[in-house]
Amino acid sequence: MLGAIIGDIVGSKYEFNNIKTKKFVLFDKKKCFFTDDSVMTLAVAESVLEYLQDPSRIDLNKLTVRNMHRYGARYPRRGYGGSFLVWLITNSTEPYGSFGNGAAMRVSSCGFVAKSLEEAKELSKKVTEVTHNHPEGLKGAEATSVAIYLAKTGSTKDEIRDYINKNYYNLDFTLDEIRPTYKFNETCQDTVPQAIEAFLESDSFEDAIRNAISIGGDSDTLAAITGGIAEAYYGIPDDIKKQAMYFLDDYQKGIINDFYQSKFILKNKSWVIKLGLFFSCKNVINIL
């Protein structure tokens, strides 16, 4: 989940100023910032954690709507898409048929907490259909959640590619092939496959983020989607985690801390344990 936020922050500088190279400063304290991608990632994460405390009594759809509105009010003017912004400011509770890539950028927590592939799909659907109830919106979010679940549970890149190819998108391209002509696109179907490919062609968490941003397009959202999958597969280096905290407030850090300390997060991978310790260490938090 933090991987998505990091991707968003790093990519924010380049959303409307695309670059076509992997050589750039990762964090620019003057020009990078968290966008709506991070805000809604946290809103969904908080919703999922609360829901899992008592799934039989909590309505995840209603809870997600409530938290999205609450977070939207707390963090206004963060680059919300036009239709989503109307949904926020009118306090709507009805979906509006979107297939925008906002469906996929906010869903990473579902893949991280899921105990099975089916649960990854179910959680993704519930937190997505409250706004993005178009089949392409639901598909983009589910593909992202599934890729994260597969990555965190030990699937190889070949296995992840094969599953995505068979069930969601044809990944019949390379980043080098699309980089010269790929342009800004806000749809799931023209963002999620590219973001997944950016992960598949990477050799580290940082390299995955650089891959995503290097193709241009909707850079912060591409990198957010890629970052969630890359975190599940590689973990996140400590220095990158520390740099990312500079851009977040105490409330956001608290939600991140709660997420990684939660009993619902898979505990048998060393990077998850390490990340939990990172956020529970008081002297580190004070430094941040």
Side-chain angles (χ1 to χ4, degrees), residues 122-283:
E122 178 187 358
L123 291 173
S124 169
K125 181 177 183 296
K126 287 182 177 180
V127 303
T128 301
E129 65 187 1
V130 297
T131 52
H132 294 57
N133 58 332
H134 188 283
E136 289 292 343
L138 293 166
K139 182 171 81 169
E142 183 175 296
T144 303
S145 182
V146 163
I148 289 170
Y149 174 80
L150 293 173
K152 79 164 187 178
T153 52
S155 293
T156 67
K157 288 184 179 179
D158 285 343
E159 289 169 337
I160 295 171
R161 180 185 293 279
D162 185 59
Y163 195 89
I164 297 299
N165 272 323
K166 289 180 178 178
N167 296 280
Y168 299 102
Y169 305 105
N170 290 323
L171 302 177
D172 54 354
F173 59 88
T174 67
L175 299 184
D176 284 343
E177 288 171 347
I178 67 171
R179 189 176 284 110
T181 58
Y182 185 70
K183 297 179 181 179
F184 192 94
N185 192 298
E186 292 182 317
T187 68
C188 270
Q189 54 268 42
D190 287 310
T191 303
V192 177
Q194 291 78 7
I196 294 173
E197 183 65 26
F199 156 70
L200 291 170
E201 291 188 26
S202 68
D203 57 27
S204 67
F205 176 82
E206 180 176 340
D207 190 53
I209 298 297
R210 292 185 181 278
N211 277 346
I213 292 171
S214 76
I215 64 172
D218 193 357
S219 297
D220 59 330
T221 298
L222 275 161
I225 298 167
T226 301
I229 306 169
E231 175 190 0
Y233 190 84
Y234 298 112
I236 307 172
D238 283 349
D239 64 317
I240 291 179
K241 283 179 268 184
K242 290 178 182 179
Q243 289 181 78
M245 291 303 107
Y246 169 84
F247 299 91
L248 303 176
D249 64 29
D250 288 342
Y251 185 82
Q252 293 166 323
K253 292 175 188 176
I255 298 301
I256 295 169
N257 176 66
D258 290 345
F259 186 79
Y260 288 104
Q261 290 295 309
S262 168
K263 64 182 180 181
F264 303 110
I265 301 297
L266 184 71
K267 299 298 184 183
N268 64 351
K269 291 192 78 171
S270 61
W271 67 260
V272 177
I273 297 171
K274 187 177 181 182
L275 193 54
L277 291 173
F278 175 85
F279 281 108
S280 65
C281 181
K282 291 183 179 179
N283 62 328

Side-chain angles (χ1 to χ4, degrees), residues 50-68:
E50 184 175 343
Y51 165 74
L52 290 176
Q53 296 288 341
D54 194 353
S56 65
R57 301 182 71 177
I58 296 175
D59 186 321
L60 180 56
N61 298 77
K62 292 181 179 178
L63 180 59
T64 301
V65 168
R66 185 164 67 247
N67 281 336
M68 283 182 177

